[in-house]
Amino acid sequence: MKKKVEILFLLALMAAPLILLSLWRSQPQPWTRERALTEVSPPSLSDDRSSSSLAEVLNQAIQYWQSPSAPPSVFFGRERVSRERMRGALLEMRDRLTKEGLGEKFFRYLRERFRFYRSAAKQVLFTGYYEASLKGSLSQNPRFPYPLYRRPDDLVEVDPKDFSASPLPREFPRLIRGRVTPEGRLLPYYSRGEIDRGALAGKGLELAWVEDPVELFFLHIQGSGVISLDGGGEVRIHVAAQNGLPYKPIGRLFKERGLLKPEEISLQSLRAYLKAHPEERDAIFAYNPSYIFFETVAQGPLGATGVCLTPYRSLAIDPSLFPLGVPVYLETEEPLFDSQGKCLGWRRFSRLFISLDTGGAIKGPGRADIFTGFGERAEAIAGVMKQKGRLFFLAPSPARE
């Protein structure tokens, strides 16, 4: 009997590594740049907007590739494309668009001179974002009590690669943001709840004050906006930094608590609930610990590439997987509204974009965010946009070099 138990024990030890290996293989593997894009045959191309808007966003992309901030190269999966090659391709695309217009001849040129890489996600969820509009003041008063903060001096960024001689795992954070205490300790930066409770008050960090805390919260999500000042004039603001804590969408909280049905969740419904239940507002805000710090800018709205965004032509993507500053083709749906602003249904569309921006909630190959512009219509579209579709990235063919 003892010998039989020993044999069974040995068999179990031998089987354990195989079982663990099987379990590891069955776990979903993290997305990598190499796996996020798959080269495919070009889709049937069409575009429902003007050639002038495409020319405008191409100009912005060319400006990006001419700037010192542009990287020496980008990757489409495993394929590396140099800065010069990307810039040259965009210049040629703009010239062909000017000569031929946005029609079948231009689409044939794209199919012949570019390689198409499709997102490896089975379906991509497309959402929308816009440039917010708020009322505010450059000085605090009873009407405008809620501050926008500039980047604090004690917010530091640490690159883990600087402290490791060996390559770090891909899932390791690219940057760690935090604050240094007087004792020299590096701690996580203050969360949204801590900042809203006054962690930064009285430090001279205020850029402006606004009248509505709900609109301020959504400004943090959009990342850029225009503040119409009391007494005249306006200030354009843009995200300058983030506190380093993870972004958690409050829509998830509404779903978990049953405050709204999943199909009812939109920017408009979240805003309405928050304004109708001010006693719950602070706790709901604190659910998302991520916090944005702003700066004033002369023009905008600006994307992560540092150039201006073009409505319905600029796209936010996950830069850890996809290339920035490159042509993108997508197929999805957009909302149709009646004269009272009610969504009546959805219309299919296909369009060329440029990947000019990023976003805290835009993670993975199955997410992308369409910039819809400024104003009530832009906000209405972004507020309900949550449609699935296909996403393609266009890499210039090797023949260009």
Side-chain angles (χ1 to χ4, degrees):
M1 181 68 181
K2 182 179 178 182
K3 188 172 183 180
K4 184 177 180 180
V5 171
E6 290 175 347
I7 292 172
L8 290 173
F9 180 71
L10 287 171
L11 289 173
L13 286 177
M14 293 170 63
L18 296 175
I19 294 171
L20 290 173
L21 180 61
S22 175
L23 289 172
W24 180 81
R25 286 177 173 171
S26 66
Q27 297 300 313
Q29 297 300 302
W31 285 104
T32 62
R33 184 186 66 207
E34 292 80 7
R35 296 176 54 237
L37 287 172
T38 303
E39 187 175 1
V40 296
S41 299
S44 177
L45 300 175
S46 63
D47 195 296
D48 66 335
R49 295 192 77 84
S50 67
S51 59
S52 60
S53 64
L54 180 56
E56 178 182 339
V57 77
L58 284 170
N59 285 333
Q60 297 301 324
I62 292 165
Q63 181 181 332
Y64 166 63
W65 285 108
Q66 291 173 335
S67 70
S69 61
S73 60
V74 290
F75 286 87
F76 295 77
R78 296 182 183 276
E79 181 183 355
R80 175 184 173 276
V81 176
S82 68
R83 180 208 308 246
E84 294 75 19
R85 182 174 154 200
M86 198 68 244
R87 176 176 169 274
L90 291 167
L91 285 167
E92 183 181 278
M93 182 185 290
R94 184 186 63 183
D95 291 344
R96 294 293 289 261
L97 177 67
T98 302
K99 294 175 183 176
E100 300 168 359
L102 193 54
E104 182 52 40
K105 190 174 182 180
F106 180 71
F107 298 142
R108 185 166 61 250
Y109 151 75
L110 294 180
R111 288 190 290 265
E112 292 173 352
R113 300 301 297 271
F114 286 83
R115 299 169 69 178
F116 285 71
Y117 286 84
R118 182 178 175 180
S119 168
K122 291 183 179 179
Q123 285 187 311
V124 175
L125 177 64
F126 293 96
T127 49
Y129 69 112
Y130 61 97
E131 187 179 27
S133 175
L134 296 88
K135 294 180 181 179
S137 171
L138 296 181
S139 59
Q140 186 179 21
N141 59 61
R143 181 184 172 189
F144 302 105
Y146 302 102
L148 284 78
Y149 290 115
R150 67 172 176 83
R151 177 178 179 144
D153 295 333
D154 63 347
L155 175 63
V156 298
E157 293 182 348
V158 177
D159 190 337
K161 295 197 299 296
D162 294 339
F163 297 86
S164 176
S166 304
L168 294 171
R170 286 186 179 275
E171 58 270 20
F172 209 83
R174 186 176 63 88
L175 287 176
I176 296 174
R177 295 183 179 92
R179 59 187 175 91
V180 179
T181 68
E183 298 76 27
R185 294 185 61 204
L186 177 64
L187 297 177
Y189 206 77
Y190 300 113
S191 67
R192 174 179 297 277
E194 292 172 319
I195 294 173
D196 285 346
R197 290 192 297 271
L200 298 180
K203 296 186 177 183
L205 299 172
E206 296 85 359
L207 280 177
W209 285 259
V210 296
E211 64 178 351
D212 191 325
V214 176
E215 299 304 323
L216 176 58
F217 178 81
F218 285 110
L219 169 65
H220 278 245
I221 295 175
Q222 305 308 316
S224 63
V226 176
I227 300 176
S228 298
L229 297 175
D230 187 35
E234 63 182 30
V235 174
R236 173 168 263 126
I237 54 171
H238 177 68
V239 58
Q242 189 258 358
N243 65 347
L245 298 178
Y247 174 86
K248 294 177 64 177
I250 62 170
R252 185 186 303 162
L253 177 66
F254 276 70
K255 189 188 305 183
E256 291 171 353
R257 295 186 180 176
L259 301 177
L260 291 172
K261 296 178 182 179
E263 64 272 14
E264 295 174 341
I265 294 176
S266 66
L267 183 149
Q268 290 85 346
S269 63
L270 294 174
R271 175 191 281 130
Y273 186 96
L274 288 166
K275 292 192 175 184
H277 300 83
E279 73 284 357
E280 300 178 38
R281 188 180 63 211
D282 292 345
I284 293 174
F285 287 170
Y287 176 80
N288 176 21
S290 174
Y291 197 90
I292 296 298
F293 303 106
F294 294 94
E295 63 183 351
T296 59
V297 292
Q299 59 179 350
L302 301 177
T305 48
V307 297
C308 292
L309 303 176
T310 303
Y312 309 105
R313 290 289 189 187
S314 299
L315 195 71
I317 50 89
D318 183 345
S320 69
L321 302 176
F322 297 143
L324 275 170
V326 307
V328 182
Y329 181 75
L330 64 84
E331 301 169 342
T332 187
E333 296 178 320
E334 62 182 358
L336 299 172
F337 297 98
D338 63 15
S339 57
Q340 280 72 48
K342 180 182 178 180
C343 183
L344 298 175
W346 298 86
R347 179 186 73 87
R348 296 290 303 175
F349 77 90
S350 303
R351 193 177 305 152
L352 286 159
F353 283 72
I354 300 287
S355 54
L356 289 177
D357 206 2
T358 64
I362 309 304
K363 302 298 181 184
R367 290 287 280 109
D369 216 7
I370 296 171
F371 177 65
T372 58
F374 180 83
E376 293 182 2
R377 175 174 170 78
E379 183 178 329
I381 292 174
V384 299
M385 187 76 186
K386 195 162 47 176
Q387 300 301 105
K388 293 181 178 179
R390 300 199 299 170
L391 178 63
F392 303 85
F393 289 78
L394 281 66
S397 65
R400 294 181 182 277
E401 293 189 325

